[in-house]
Amino acid sequence: AQSVAQPEDQVNVAEGNPLTVKCTYSVSGNPYLFWYVQYPNRGLQFLLKYITGDNLVKGSYGFEAEFNKSQTSFHLKKPSALVSDSALYFCAVLNYGGSQGNLIFGKGTKLSVKP
Amino acid sequence: GAVVSQHPSRVICKSGTSVKIECRSLDFQATTMFWYRQFPKQSLMLMATSNEGSKATYEQGVEKDKFLINHASLTLSTLTVTSAHPEDSSFYICSASATGGKQETQYFGPGTRLLVL
């Protein structure tokens, strides 16, 4: 069964510093991996995805993620954090074996960027 | 880009009443839509997969008679919470995959906050 894990409930970063939000995955085949961001009382906004190709994926709002097959990780990164990046971040994997293409989400990591 | 809307965005109802939540794909056709439920400070859990013109597929533990799903057209899926109780209070989010599009490309609605008193 496919799954993703986000080991950190919360990440605190100072504005201007680099940020990393961790995600590891467990899949039986080639993973389709995603990052979404959720602002309070809002739906999910797509940030980026890895399907195939370059291990470094660039996405919206200056975010990027690196697919690491050997470590089964897909950490989200940004070189310089903004206060406005403060939100809830979800890592997800496409579920091949279950319903037709639903996403399986990690528990989420709250990112707090302080001025 | 593709837009998915949900209506209402927020609803408060009395215990025992039924509430209908609509999910619409505004600028694309969606053969498949997904309904998720999110409890406070928790992740999204898939409730069911809605397929246009056929019965929905429910995840284990989700009551079919409690959460009625109808996908009558390629742009609309509805979730009806029947005889709602306070424990049904949650944030309900739908997503849609474009017909003929890449399966991995899903577009999420803004969510519906349900509060049952």
Side-chain angles (χ1 to χ4, degrees), chain A residues 38 41 43 99-101 103 106, chain B residues 34 38 43 49 59 106 110 113:
Chain A
Q38 184 182 35
N41 295 311
S99 301
Q100 301 155 36
L103 294 175
Chain B
F34 302 96
Q38 184 181 27
S43 188
T49 302
E59 295 301 298
Q106 294 188 24
R113 175 76 61 191

Side-chain angles (χ1 to χ4, degrees), chain A residues 32 34 36 38 41-44 49 51 88 90 94 99-103 105-107, chain B residues 32 34 36 38 42-44 46 49 51 59 91 93 103-106 108-110 113:
Chain A
Y32 284 18
F34 304 79
Y36 286 85
Q38 184 182 35
N41 295 311
R42 300 284 295 278
L44 274 66
K49 66 181 178 183
I51 304 299
L88 192 56
F90 290 99
L94 187 68
S99 301
Q100 301 155 36
N102 68 290
L103 294 175
F105 289 88
K107 64 178 182 178
Chain B
T32 302
F34 302 96
Y36 295 86
Q38 184 181 27
Q42 294 189 29
S43 188
L44 282 75
L46 179 69
T49 302
N51 300 297
E59 295 301 298
F91 195 51
I93 302 175
Q103 187 184 41
E104 71 274 10
T105 303
Q106 294 188 24
F108 283 81
R113 175 76 61 191

Side-chain angles (χ1 to χ4, degrees), chain A residues 25 35 39 54 62 80 110:
Chain A
Y25 66 88
W35 275 102
Y39 295 97
D54 290 340
S80 179
K110 182 179 180 181

Side-chain angles (χ1 to χ4, degrees), chain B residues 48-99:
Chain B
T49 302
S50 172
N51 300 297
E52 187 270 336
S54 64
K55 292 183 178 180
T57 303
Y58 289 82
E59 295 301 298
Q60 191 173 9
V62 178
E63 299 176 58
K64 300 179 182 181
D65 296 331
K66 173 76 173 177
F67 299 99
L68 299 178
I69 291 175
N70 184 280
H71 196 149
S73 77
L74 286 172
T75 59
L76 173 65
S77 175
T78 60
L79 168 67
T80 301
V81 183
T82 62
S83 187
H85 290 283
E87 57 266 29
D88 299 324
S89 299
S90 191
F91 195 51
Y92 293 88
I93 302 175
C94 72
S95 72
S97 295
T99 302

Side-chain angles (χ1 to χ4, degrees), chain A residues 22-33:
Chain A
K22 296 180 180 178
C23 173
T24 58
Y25 66 88
S26 175
V27 301
S28 54
N30 293 323
Y32 284 18
L33 296 160

